Amino acid sequence: MYAIETENLVKKYGRLTALDGVTLNIPEGDCFGLLGPNGAGKTTLIRILTTLIRPTSGMAKVAGFDVLKEKAGVRSAIGVVPQAMTSDLDLTGLEIMDIYARFYGMGKKERRERTDELLSMVGLRERAGDLIATYSGGMRRRLEIARGLVHRPSILILDEPTIGLDPQSRRVVWELLEKFRKGDNLTILLTTHYMEEAEYLSDHVAIIDYGRIVALDTVEGLKKAIPQKDTMELTVSNIDMAKAREAVSAHQSVGSVAVNEGTLIISVDNGANAIPELVDKLRAMNAKVTRVTLKEQTLEDVFIHFTGRPIREEEARKVSFLLGAGVPRQWGK
Amino acid sequence: MNRFKAIFERDLRKFIRNPLVVAMSVLMPVIYLVILGNSFQGELKRLPVAVVDQDNGPGAEGVMERLSALEAGPRTVEVIKVSSQGFAMEGLREGVFKGVVIIPPGFSRDLARGSLAEIGLFLDNAETIAAATVQSAIARAVSEPGMEFVGIREERAGARLRPIEIYRKIDYDQTLIPGVVIMAIFLGAMTTGAFNIVMDRFLGVEESYFLTPLTKSDIVVGLVASGLLITTIIAVVVLFFSSLISGIYLWRLLTVDGFLLMLAVIVLSTLGLQGLMFVIMGRLNHPRIVGILGGFMNVIFFFPSGAIYPTESFPAWLKAFAVVNPETYSVHALRALMFKGAGFGAVKGDMAFLAVFAVLAVIAGTAAFKREL
Ligand SMILES: Nc1ncnc2c1ncn2[C@@H]1O[C@H](COP(=O)(O)OP(=O)(O)OP(=O)(O)O)[C@@H](O)[C@H]1O
Ligand SMILES: [Mg+2]
């Protein structure tokens, strides 16, 4: 059975098509990363899956429940960490956890135990009695993750869980997610526009752009599917460059080789493994290798390949200059 | 039930974390009392006055003519001829009449004899302004020159008005107290309950609540309940303090039954306004809109409620609004309970209206609430 399945989901906002026929199947226990630039439709998809908005057309099932017809079922099966920070600042961490646990009808003892366990796991036990207004961004994220898990959901959905966090806090969140995942056999769906995050956490990655899924595979599979390889640069001396080029090209994982004065620019599969072999080979020809650099193929290359642009190309959000920020979503455009 | 209680508790916790709001909710209505109590003047119109003619002589007829002239000319009063004094007094107690003129038996005879001819005037002094207006208008009418039968011969023999106030002496400040309590209820209803939805929406916090199994009615009823508790407490505190500063000792004035009835009126009024706020604000998403609407609605509901001016003086269209304005019934009921020592019988109509209004408003508020982004 799939934890999440969607079929041809479409969501239109007036003339804008935010989701343009999304079909996904996420198996149980999977960690699924949804990678996309700003405005790709990630949040829109998540909001449909979590019953917050209705699709214009199409079907979606979460934990076997239809998001339109069995909302209550969906809501008790999922834990969600929305993109925006959504904890009331004028409550304490403990209060938030307890209130949410009550929304799911948990008894007093169970609530206390679960809250305690989760707050310790996310490292907030000492600060549990403080107002959330006094938490740092990373602490608030961790609290929201704990909040999302309070009722032991089978599916955890996170919308950009590490946005705005420094690299250290980001890593803490990743490790937390790993830990929870192993413990509870969770299915995780997360959106991100951090490559490392998708790469580190996800079993499967889907790239979404302009409301369409443009690629879907494991991280490895995605990398294999594109022609770009690792790029190695070897600076050598004491050897005829034509001969050096010939020797390097003979290696089985090497694709094309270009020469730029004393430097060989090599397109290579699995470059890290090829370095020692290539260096040995050149040394055996009495060459001196003075410098090696390797630019490994990343998910970013995959992304550029499928979308035609790097992911960090952010479009400035247009806000009506008359109304300013903080006006109703419908008006602010 | 658990979910509803969680919403209820969440809201209470958030409220007490904001002591400034608590203090202001109490202080502002009390300050209103002081300001309003000292700043309102003006002419009233169409005050219903019952006339009981027990004389049936020519003198009484003359008085009736004068009163009719008053009705046709400056329109200060609306004269209603009533045959039974008991009926007239009951009307006064219920606020149907703002004054009762009694022309006693033998009035014509006294007038003819040139001895002191007196008319009795009973006033509803729970509404000071109206009472004062009725009194001066009628005094002017009956002593106007040209009334042949009023002692031209001898000054002493003129018809003299002897006002009899039917309740204990009430100052103008004090008559405003029901209005001030209603204002406290309005402010409370506006800043609790539905307002939390607007704030949550504005801050984007609602999203995470909508992700849980909370139902529409969990949210609405939970917030209405917490708002009800908070507002009721505020209203009672305001009632207490505004009474105190205008020299009323509630614990002496009210019986336990009277207090419980007042509490019931406060609760029903609050509930109705809470529901109404959900209907009006349930879909708003910016607190600034609430600010504008709140100031507007306060005036719209408060002034036509009879808290300051009697509703009888309004033009027909405003009167029609006063009839459906829940605050009209709250003010009327509170005034009756506070100053007239009235029992359940005198306010049951008000309470019935408030109860029906409350139920309808909460149902409509729940229906209007959108549990979706
Ligand atoms: N309420 C709305 N009304 C109109 N348009 C909307 C609304 N919500 C989203 N959109 C539009 O739908 C598109 C997809 O938005 P969405 O929030 O799903 O993007 P996203 O992938 O989550 O982006 P980000 O990485 O910035 O969070 C955008 O073009 C956005 O402007
Ligand atoms: Mg988003």
Side-chain angles (χ1 to χ4, degrees), chain A residues 47 50 52 54 71 75 80 82 86 88 90-91 95 99-100 102-104 106 131 147 326 328-329, chain B residues 2-3 6 9-10 13-14 17 202 204-205 207-214 285-286 371-373:
Chain A
R47 284 184 169 165
T50 55
L52 289 178
R54 292 152 192 275
K71 290 187 175 158
R75 286 172 187 154
V80 187
T86 54
D88 303 75
D90 42 4
L91 294 177
E95 285 168 347
I99 286 170
Y100 272 80
R102 286 163 74 176
F103 292 162
Y104 295 93
M106 292 166 70
L131 288 186
R147 189 189 75 191
R329 276 179 281 267
Chain B
N2 205 351
R3 294 190 303 241
E9 208 183 297
R10 160 189 182 248
R13 283 182 191 279
K14 285 168 71 94
R17 294 265 153 78
F202 178 63
V205 169
E207 179 169 355
S208 61
Y209 287 94
F210 290 177
L211 289 164
T212 66
L214 284 173
N285 41 21
H286 200 297
R371 194 207 179 285
E372 236 174 49
L373 290 186

Side-chain angles (χ1 to χ4, degrees), chain A residues 94-130:
Chain A
L94 201 61
E95 285 168 347
I96 274 281
M97 293 292 286
D98 192 62
I99 286 170
Y100 272 80
R102 286 163 74 176
F103 292 162
Y104 295 93
M106 292 166 70
K108 194 166 188 168
K109 183 157 169 282
E110 193 191 359
R111 292 204 304 265
R112 193 167 335 115
E113 283 168 10
R114 181 69 175 159
T115 297
D116 216 48
E117 174 195 10
L118 284 171
L119 286 177
S120 320
M121 281 178 89
V122 300
L124 286 175
R125 239 185 104 178
E126 270 69 56
R127 298 291 303 275
D130 296 347

Side-chain angles (χ1 to χ4, degrees), chain A residues 13 16 18 37-44 83 160 193 317 333:
Chain A
Y13 289 110
L16 183 126
N38 287 123
K42 303 183 293 293
T43 301
T44 305
Q83 179 168 358
E160 315 235 10
H193 55 238
R317 260 175 211 245
K333 285 185 291 159

Side-chain angles (χ1 to χ4, degrees), chain B residues 26-328:
Chain B
V26 172
L27 264 181
M28 279 171 31
V30 176
I31 295 172
Y32 261 123
L33 172 71
V34 177
I35 307 266
L36 280 179
N38 289 292
S39 64
F40 263 95
Q41 289 148 30
E43 232 185 297
L44 302 185
K45 294 209 181 300
R46 283 189 290 278
L47 300 170
V49 170
V51 180
V52 185
D53 184 0
Q54 296 166 336
D55 177 45
N56 290 317
E61 250 172 66
V63 171
M64 286 305 295
E65 266 169 39
R66 292 283 112 201
L67 289 176
S68 301
L70 190 61
E71 187 177 13
R75 296 220 201 104
T76 318
V77 297
E78 214 162 52
V79 177
I80 298 127
K81 257 195 103 163
V82 169
S83 52
S84 127
Q85 179 171 358
F87 177 76
M89 294 307 290
E90 196 172 318
L92 185 62
R93 223 163 254 130
E94 284 175 9
V96 178
F97 304 129
K98 301 294 166 193
V100 172
V101 174
I102 308 275
I103 307 175
F107 177 77
S108 298
R109 192 194 55 218
D110 288 347
L111 202 62
R113 275 196 206 142
S115 57
L116 188 69
E118 282 186 326
I119 298 173
L121 175 63
F122 290 82
L123 293 170
D124 181 354
N125 59 324
E127 281 186 69
T128 317
I129 304 187
T133 308
V134 169
Q135 181 180 347
S136 69
I138 288 178
R140 229 179 311 129
V142 294
S143 63
E144 211 164 282
M147 271 182 86
E148 315 140 22
F149 47 86
V150 181
I152 307 173
R153 285 165 276 167
E154 223 183 311
E155 249 189 51
R156 228 169 13 95
R160 213 180 69 191
L161 196 62
R162 195 181 64 195
I164 308 154
E165 296 187 326
I166 58 169
Y167 312 112
R168 45 174 290 283
K169 179 89 188 119
I170 300 171
D171 289 338
Y172 179 47
D173 272 9
Q174 298 173 347
T175 74
L176 289 177
I177 291 174
V180 166
V181 171
I182 284 304
M183 184 167 300
I185 292 177
F186 180 88
L187 288 178
M190 206 186 75
T191 49
T192 61
F195 184 65
N196 292 294
I197 289 288
V198 182
M199 277 317 282
D200 284 353
R201 199 166 283 156
F202 178 63
L203 296 173
V205 169
E206 82 199 311
E207 179 169 355
S208 61
Y209 287 94
F210 290 177
L211 289 164
T212 66
L214 284 173
T215 63
K216 226 166 146 169
S217 49
D218 287 330
I219 298 175
V220 174
V221 177
L223 287 177
V224 164
S226 69
L228 179 62
L229 179 65
I230 294 167
T231 307
T232 304
I233 292 171
I234 290 176
V236 171
V237 172
V238 165
L239 171 66
F240 180 80
F241 279 112
S242 53
S243 304
L244 210 58
I245 62 168
S246 51
I248 297 178
Y249 303 103
L250 276 180
W251 57 94
R252 281 195 214 148
L253 187 67
L254 286 177
T255 60
V256 172
D257 286 359
F259 179 73
L260 289 180
L261 278 171
M262 279 185 91
L263 198 62
V265 170
I266 289 174
V267 166
L268 288 176
S269 309
T270 308
L271 205 53
L273 287 178
Q274 289 279 359
L276 188 66
M277 294 296 171
F278 265 94
V279 176
I280 294 169
M281 315 203 295
R283 284 172 181 244
L284 297 183
N285 41 21
H286 200 297
R288 199 177 294 155
I289 308 175
V290 178
I292 294 169
L293 261 183
F296 175 73
M297 290 197 321
N298 190 15
V299 171
I300 291 299
F301 288 114
F302 182 70
F303 288 98
S305 70
I308 295 177
Y309 282 108
T311 53
E312 288 80 0
S313 308
F314 298 160
W317 60 270
L318 194 55
K319 240 185 235 176
F321 177 72
V323 170
V324 294
N325 178 4
E327 293 194 8
T328 307

